[in-house]
Amino acid sequence: QAFASAMLTTIRRPLTYAATAALRDSPMRPALTSDVDSAGRCASGRVRIAACIAESKGLGAFAVMPLSPGMVLGYYTGEVLTLAEMILRYGSGDVDSPFEYEAANQRAAWEAERSARGVSSSGTYLFNAGRCPLSGRTLLVDGEDPSLSNWTRYINHSTRRPSLSARSEVLAEEGRDGLGTPRVTFVTLREIAEGEELTFDYGDGFDVDVLSFVDE
C-alpha cells in the first residue's frame, strides 16, 4: 500500500514574493529551501514558490512559463528512512520499556533541535519510494527539513486536475547502510499554462495512518 506523500497540507506561513528575501534573514529561514532564490524562483527558472490563494495551503509551486507534457521538473529530496526509522521518529511516543524510554529521549532531543531551527516535526512530508532491490526493505524520503530538501516539497495535492505525476523507484545503487537510492521524479502530465499551480495526486494513502504499517 502507498503511504501519503510528505507534502500533505500543513499550515505554512503564506508569503508574497517580496517577503522571501526578508525571510532568509529571519529565524524562520528554514521555511524556504536553498534552491529557491530571493524572487521565489527555482527549477532553472521554470518554477516559482509563492503563497497560494487559499491561505490554508501555505506555499505552492507555480509555473513561470508554459510547460509541455513529459518534462522532468525535479526530484523529491530529503532524508532516507526505513519504515522502522520512520516509526521511531514519528511514533506515538508511548513508553512501555527501557528501549522505548531511550527512544523517546532521543526523539525529544531531535525535536528540540529542529524546533530551535524553526523546523516542524509533523511527519507529513514522507514519500514512499518503494522497495529496495538490495535489502528488500521499503524506503521513504522525508522532506520535512527544508535544509535537506528542495522546492518539490511545496507541491500541493489535487485529484481534480493534477498537472504532475510522481514516479517512484529505488535504484540498486548503494547508499547509506547498504540501502538502495530512492528516486522520486516529477514529470509534467499535460500542457501547463504560465502562472498555473503545479500539483499532483498524493494517492489513496493521503489520509492513511502510516504508523499502522510495520517494517518487513
Side-chain angles (χ1 to χ4, degrees):
Q1 296 188 40
F3 284 79
S5 159
M7 288 162 291
L8 302 182
T9 302
T10 57
I11 305 301
R12 294 187 289 269
R13 179 175 300 181
L15 298 175
T16 61
Y17 300 146
T20 57
L23 180 67
R24 293 191 181 280
D25 297 322
S26 76
M28 290 299 293
R29 179 174 179 175
L32 290 177
T33 53
S34 62
D35 58 325
V36 179
D37 68 18
S38 60
R41 292 180 183 255
C42 51
S44 300
R46 295 176 295 182
V47 177
R48 173 174 281 161
I49 305 303
C52 297
I53 295 177
E55 291 190 0
S56 62
K57 292 175 65 176
L59 299 178
F62 298 83
V64 172
M65 59 190 70
L67 301 175
S68 302
M71 294 179 62
V72 174
L73 286 186
Y75 302 89
Y76 194 70
T77 60
E79 298 173 87
V80 177
L81 304 176
T82 63
L83 284 178
E85 290 170 334
M86 182 273 291
I87 292 171
L88 181 64
R89 173 172 289 191
Y90 297 114
S92 66
D94 296 336
V95 177
D96 297 318
S97 71
F99 170 77
E100 291 172 336
Y101 180 80
E102 180 180 357
N105 282 338
Q106 292 175 350
R107 178 181 173 183
W110 171 77
E111 289 180 342
E113 186 275 332
R114 285 170 73 107
S115 178
R117 294 189 289 116
V119 178
S120 60
S121 304
S122 67
T124 54
Y125 287 79
L126 291 165
F127 206 114
N128 180 9
R131 191 177 297 274
C132 172
L134 301 178
S135 66
R137 307 181 75 182
T138 296
L139 299 183
L140 302 99
V141 182
D142 186 356
E144 185 152 9
D145 186 343
S147 70
L148 301 172
S149 188
N150 65 9
W151 73 269
T152 59
R153 74 190 294 278
Y154 305 111
I155 303 174
N156 286 311
H157 168 64
S158 174
T159 57
R160 297 181 61 184
R161 196 167 183 263
S163 54
L164 306 177
S165 66
R167 303 175 183 177
S168 305
E169 60 183 328
V170 180
L171 305 178
E173 299 175 0
E174 189 169 329
R176 71 167 183 85
D177 301 328
L179 299 173
T181 302
R183 184 167 68 182
V184 179
T185 308
F186 287 99
V187 182
T188 55
L189 283 173
R190 53 176 174 78
E191 296 285 346
I192 301 172
E194 179 181 349
E196 182 178 348
E197 182 177 6
L198 304 176
T199 61
F200 80 103
D201 186 350
Y202 290 178
D204 295 337
F206 182 81
D207 291 320
V208 172
D209 179 5
V210 297
L211 299 181
S212 66
F213 294 89
V214 294
D215 207 348
E216 298 83 357

